[in-house]
Amino acid sequence: MNPVLHGLAANPSLPPEAVDRLIALADADLADILACRPDLGRDRAVALAARVGDSAVRLAYEGRLTAADISPATHPQAALALLDRRAGRRCADGSQPTLSPAYGQTLPRTPRSTTT
C-alpha cells in the first residue's frame, strides 16, 4: 500500500495521463480507489479490469463496464454483477436473465472429481 499513490488516485484534478499511469501500476487497493473515480471512462475501466481482475466486479456494479466488456469465462463474478444490475446480456427470447436475491455474490463451489 502506497499512500501517495492512493492520494493521487483519489484526486479529482488528476490529469488523464496520470490516471493512465496509475492504472498501469494498480494493485487491488489502488484499483478500488480508481474504480470510484467519476471521470473513469469505459476504456480506462476496461484497462483497469484487465490489470486487476478483481476490480471488474466493482466496475460492473458502478456501471462502468457492460456485458460487451465482460467475458463470463474470465470474470464470472463481474458477469453476475451485471445480471444483478439487470445490465447483462439478454436471452434469445429477449428476456433479461436475473439472479435470485438469495443467491448473493458468492458462487457455490462445485466439488471436483478425485478420480484419476
Side-chain angles (χ1 to χ4, degrees), residues 64-104:
R64 307 206 187 269
L65 295 176
T66 66
D69 303 322
I70 297 293
S71 167
T74 57
H75 295 105
Q77 294 287 354
L80 289 173
L82 288 173
L83 290 175
D84 191 37
R85 287 187 64 243
R86 298 186 183 272
R89 293 187 175 106
R90 299 226 174 246
C91 295
D93 65 0
S95 66
Q96 183 76 30
T98 60
L99 292 176
S100 163
Y103 193 70

Side-chain angles (χ1 to χ4, degrees), residues 28-91:
D29 292 332
L30 189 57
D32 243 8
I33 297 167
L34 289 167
C36 295
R37 289 186 62 88
D39 63 342
L40 191 71
R42 180 182 169 273
D43 291 340
R44 287 190 176 96
V46 169
L48 185 59
R51 168 79 182 162
V52 182
D54 291 342
S55 68
V57 173
R58 179 167 203 152
L59 291 164
Y61 271 117
E62 296 281 332
R64 307 206 187 269
L65 295 176
T66 66
D69 303 322
I70 297 293
S71 167
T74 57
H75 295 105
Q77 294 287 354
L80 289 173
L82 288 173
L83 290 175
D84 191 37
R85 287 187 64 243
R86 298 186 183 272
R89 293 187 175 106
R90 299 226 174 246
C91 295

